[in-house]
Amino acid sequence: MHSPETRPSLIVRLGGAEDQSAWWAFVEAYEPFLKHLVARQGTPPSHVADVTQQVLIAIARSVDGFRDDGRDASFRRWVHRVSRNTVIKYMARQRRQISGQGGTDALLQLDQQPAVEDPVLDNQYQHEMIVWAASKVQSEFSSSSWTAFWGTMIEGRSVAALAEELSVSPGSIYMSRTRILRRIRLLIDEVMK
């Protein structure tokens, strides 16, 4: 499966406040990923949506300062760092409201930890992008083509068994998969331009 990468042109477009389409594309593509990231960092489930909005605001305010470090997943690591810092600030505010006291040493130590590349998080990011793109292109294909794609690529069913169930040739299953995968890749590439 194609690994989606964030293209620098989308990041540059985010810097222009007047480019609303870039922001909508970014939010649509990244919001599920950010929600997962925020939840994974310990945010209570009832606050995940609010904190995710705070992360998006933080990204909007600071994206002009993002600099690609030339290493893999530079933008994702930056987004992860912004998200982590937003969650830390949220937790510190929550703690002050509950106890009436300032931050803790643990929060300060957490804030000073460098961002760590997380293969699980990278895989989750890719999964979220693919699921999002698949939901957007599903209506472009017949139900039998979609069943062929979904059954073999996502559910892992055998091509032969699904071909027999759908009364189609195995070749048509492969063709459907190829067309849908190509469309998903194109959509991800378009969003990340």
Side-chain angles (χ1 to χ4, degrees):
M1 176 59 69
H2 175 69
S3 176
E5 295 292 330
T6 305
R7 295 202 176 158
S9 58
L10 176 62
I11 300 167
V12 169
R13 289 173 54 205
L14 292 177
E18 68 280 351
D19 194 345
Q20 292 291 317
S21 65
W23 271 108
W24 284 117
F26 179 80
V27 169
E28 192 170 16
Y30 273 80
E31 191 172 34
F33 170 71
L34 291 173
K35 283 183 177 174
H36 175 78
L37 188 60
V38 164
R40 194 177 149 152
Q41 291 171 337
T43 304
S46 61
H47 295 256
V48 167
D50 288 341
V51 176
T52 300
Q53 288 301 310
Q54 292 174 23
V55 171
L56 287 168
I57 291 169
I59 289 170
R61 288 181 178 157
S62 58
V63 71
D64 286 336
F66 166 74
R67 298 291 175 261
D68 190 341
D69 62 11
R71 295 174 28 212
D72 286 343
S74 177
F75 185 69
R76 273 185 275 163
R77 281 185 282 107
W78 180 79
V79 166
H80 188 273
R81 192 170 42 251
V82 170
S83 171
R84 187 186 59 173
N85 289 341
T86 303
V87 170
I88 289 170
K89 287 176 186 174
Y90 163 79
M91 288 180 170
R93 272 196 312 270
Q94 290 296 105
R95 181 168 169 74
R96 278 194 301 269
Q97 288 175 355
I98 292 170
S99 65
Q101 298 177 3
T104 65
D105 290 339
L107 286 175
L108 290 173
Q109 287 176 351
L110 184 60
D111 190 32
Q112 294 175 4
Q113 295 296 316
V116 177
E117 292 187 30
D118 184 346
V120 173
L121 197 59
D122 286 344
N123 287 339
Q124 180 64 31
Y125 169 78
Q126 292 176 11
H127 175 77
E128 295 285 347
M129 289 296 292
I130 292 166
V131 168
W132 169 81
S135 72
K136 295 296 179 189
V137 303
Q138 182 178 0
S139 64
E140 298 175 18
F141 297 94
S142 70
S143 63
S144 64
S145 291
W146 190 259
T147 300
F149 163 75
W150 198 263
T152 57
M153 296 299 293
I154 306 300
E155 296 173 350
R157 298 177 62 191
S158 80
V159 170
L162 198 55
E164 186 176 323
E165 183 181 317
L166 296 174
S167 300
V168 297
S169 69
S172 70
I173 299 273
Y174 288 115
M175 285 179 53
S176 295
R177 288 177 13 167
T178 301
R179 287 185 303 117
I180 293 171
L181 284 172
R182 185 180 317 123
R183 182 65 185 106
I184 288 171
R185 288 181 185 136
L186 282 172
L187 179 59
I188 291 173
D189 288 347
E190 287 170 13
V191 168
M192 296 304 162
K193 282 183 184 175

